[in-house]
């Protein structure tokens, strides 16, 4: 697959990704950094999104079922391979731990805050991030939901 083919595929999935995320056209345009007029033109398949817009969609909506089903894997992996002609699979086990402080740990889940960026995340039993937010309360609520649901 090349950039042109990838861009054409993203164009056909743009509206579905927006709807799947529950976004209005205004919200999607602001999130991706487009004018609403451009977004509408892309959704009507009158204008191809540029490469940067395709990368943004895949990065911001990498958990999209639409994108993952379309490409059969994480869309960022596809972008990396197309752009760099290879894909790196870094081991994140301990390298980023110096920036994260554990707030709470229970039932295999871990709630952490980032020392530099004031972000929060929840890790699963395999120490993979499963939720991230800039709001402490949102992170705590998600963490409590995950850990309490195990005991119900």
């Amino acid at each position: 697959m090349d950039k042109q083919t990838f861009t054409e595929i993203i164009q056909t999935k743009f509206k579905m990704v927006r709807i799947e995320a529950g976004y209005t056209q205004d919200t999607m345009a602001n999130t991706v950094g487009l004018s609403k007029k451009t977004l509408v033109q892309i959704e009507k398949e009158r204008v191809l999104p540029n490469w940067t817009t395709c990368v943004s969609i895949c990065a911001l909506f990498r958990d999209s079922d639409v994108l993952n089903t379309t490409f059969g894997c994480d869309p960022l992996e596809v972008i990396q391979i197309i752009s760099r002609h290879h894909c790196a699979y870094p081991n994140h086990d301990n390298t980023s731990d110096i920036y994260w402080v554990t707030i709470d740990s229970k039932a295999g889940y871990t709630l952490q805050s980032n020392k530099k960026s004031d972000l929060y995340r929840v890790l699963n039993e395999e120490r993979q991030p499963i939720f991230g937010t800039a709001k402490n309360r949102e992170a705590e609520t998600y963490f409590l939901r995950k850990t309490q649901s195990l005991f119900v």
Side-chain angles (χ1 to χ4, degrees):
M1 181 179 305
D2 60 7
K3 283 184 180 182
Q4 180 68 28
T5 304
F6 185 83
T7 301
E8 291 168 359
I9 292 170
I10 290 295
Q11 178 191 43
T12 66
K13 303 300 180 184
F14 217 93
K15 185 175 183 177
M16 286 188 280
V17 170
R18 176 179 64 79
I19 291 168
E20 177 187 38
Y23 282 22
T24 64
Q25 287 180 328
D26 287 325
T27 304
M28 185 68 148
N30 287 330
T31 300
V32 179
L34 298 172
S35 69
K36 183 178 176 183
K37 181 180 176 184
T38 301
L39 176 104
V40 169
Q41 294 299 312
I42 292 170
E43 286 188 353
K44 289 183 176 182
E45 298 185 25
R46 294 181 183 155
V47 171
L48 272 175
N50 63 34
W51 180 249
T52 305
T53 299
C54 291
V55 171
S56 295
I57 285 290
C58 290
L60 294 168
F61 300 95
R62 75 185 294 182
D63 59 343
S64 161
D65 286 337
V66 170
L67 293 176
N68 281 279
T69 302
T70 298
F71 298 111
C73 63
D74 181 346
L76 287 180
E77 184 176 349
V78 178
I79 286 173
Q80 253 192 353
I81 292 169
I82 292 170
S83 293
R84 298 178 176 174
H85 308 293
H86 70 277
C87 187
Y89 297 96
N91 180 356
H92 293 292
D93 289 341
N94 296 318
T95 55
S96 65
D97 282 351
I98 61 171
Y99 298 108
W100 292 94
V101 176
T102 297
I103 298 170
D104 198 356
S105 191
K106 188 186 316 178
Y109 291 91
T110 305
L111 173 63
Q112 295 182 323
S113 67
N114 189 284
K115 295 176 187 176
K116 299 224 174 228
S117 62
D118 293 325
L119 297 178
Y120 300 88
R121 71 180 184 182
V122 175
L123 308 177
N124 65 12
E125 298 90 342
E126 291 84 33
R127 300 207 31 88
Q128 297 298 313
I130 57 170
F131 181 78
T133 180
K135 298 177 182 174
N136 184 14
R137 190 167 187 92
E138 272 184 14
E140 288 175 347
T141 301
Y142 184 88
F143 176 77
L144 288 173
R145 252 186 299 151
K146 292 305 267 186
T147 56
Q148 288 177 350
S149 68
L150 298 173
F151 300 108
V152 175

